[in-house]
Amino acid sequence: AVARGDSALANELLGQLLGYIFFYIRSETDIMQRVQELLVIISRAAIAAGAGSAQVFELSDRCREHLRLAESQSDLTARLSRTMNHFLRLVIDLGSSGLSDAVQRAIEFLSANYAQPLTLEDAAAAAGYSPTYFSRVFREETGITYRAYLNRIRIERSKLLLLSGPVSVAEVCQLVGFSDQSYFCKVFRELEGVSPDRFRKRSRRIDTEKEHGGGADFAQKITKNGK
């Protein structure tokens, strides 16, 4: 999300990831280690998007020092969030000249409404274009179709839900906006190389039922209203 300059998604995912860290990990040292790992991931994403390495490393070093001064979890969250948004600004500034305002409006619309049954006409209306013209312009500017872009957004969100606990693939499918589970699994495999179930088993995750209990309740909070 950071590499794409998707501010809405990046901030949503950061909040959820920090929520997992604070919920599951008791040691302050381990919490800080995980937060530092997030900082590294965010930094690498910005560099991968074309941001200057020297600028990214300088910003990352400053953030690392600021994180050590955090006095609470909310303070820690705010400090890391501010840094990530600095990285996002670097990425957005790099790519802003390549996308028209209309396409940017469409992307923001897709990011905010991915869980709904969206159509080409909906996205075109957000851009202010006719469906045919929008379809052509969107592909010319982004390199992929509007549907492929929407599928990528939905799959990114589904990955986090799959790791959130005992949420079924069918539930995840519905929560991220796919109406057909078979199609969801097909798209997931095309983008990730494995099925949703395989992704869940392969990825590192904390088993909430085994280690802390109450995992089902927490997962329900995570998935409420499709988030």
Side-chain angles (χ1 to χ4, degrees):
V2 171
R4 291 202 307 269
D6 189 337
S7 179
L9 174 58
N11 279 283
E12 177 185 342
L13 296 182
L14 180 64
Q16 293 188 18
L17 287 168
L18 289 173
Y20 298 156
I21 291 170
F22 298 148
F23 185 85
Y24 293 130
I25 300 176
R26 301 293 177 255
S27 165
E28 291 185 7
T29 300
D30 289 343
I31 287 175
M32 184 57 69
Q33 180 180 347
R34 296 295 178 268
V35 170
Q36 297 281 7
E37 289 172 359
L38 275 175
L39 176 60
V40 171
I41 291 170
I42 294 168
S43 301
R44 288 176 177 172
I47 292 173
S53 299
Q55 192 173 10
V56 169
F57 290 148
E58 180 183 355
L59 183 58
S60 181
D61 287 342
R62 286 206 309 267
C63 178
R64 192 171 289 108
E65 292 301 319
H66 291 164
L67 290 175
R68 295 193 182 102
L69 301 176
E71 298 178 350
S72 65
Q73 291 182 354
S74 60
D75 187 21
L76 190 62
T77 298
R79 290 169 186 264
L80 183 58
S81 180
R82 282 196 297 270
T83 299
M84 184 181 72
N85 283 299
H86 284 309
F87 284 134
L88 280 163
R89 176 49 54 191
L90 292 176
V91 173
I92 292 169
D93 287 346
L94 283 168
S96 60
S97 61
L99 296 178
S100 64
D101 290 342
V103 169
Q104 288 181 8
R105 286 197 303 272
I107 288 174
E108 290 172 1
F109 173 79
L110 295 176
S111 296
N113 298 280
Y114 67 91
Q116 305 303 317
L118 301 179
T119 65
L120 173 61
E121 288 72 19
D122 295 328
Y129 289 156
S130 69
T132 301
Y133 183 66
F134 168 74
S135 181
R136 178 170 65 81
V137 170
F138 190 93
R139 184 161 191 165
E140 287 176 353
E141 293 191 17
T142 65
I144 60 176
T145 66
Y146 115 89
R147 175 59 62 181
Y149 194 97
L150 176 59
N151 282 344
R152 289 185 181 184
I153 292 174
R154 287 171 167 171
I155 294 304
E156 287 299 319
R157 280 142 171 92
S158 74
K159 287 158 62 179
L160 190 58
L161 288 172
L162 287 166
L163 302 180
S164 69
V167 186
S168 71
V169 171
E171 290 174 315
V172 171
C173 170
Q174 294 295 321
L175 288 168
V176 299
F178 284 98
S179 59
D180 182 85
Q181 185 175 336
S182 296
Y183 180 62
F184 165 62
C185 292
K186 176 185 177 182
V187 174
F188 194 100
R189 185 183 292 276
E190 287 175 352
L191 293 179
E192 299 301 321
V194 294
S195 68
D197 276 328
R198 184 83 175 199
F199 173 83
R200 194 203 304 261
K201 292 175 182 177
R202 186 188 66 179
S203 300
R204 292 178 55 195
R205 72 183 180 91
I206 297 175
D207 190 330
T208 59
E209 295 291 338
K210 180 178 180 180
E211 297 195 13
H212 293 292
D217 291 338
F218 184 61
Q220 289 171 6
K221 293 177 184 178
I222 293 295
T223 57
K224 186 178 181 182
N225 297 323
K227 295 183 179 180

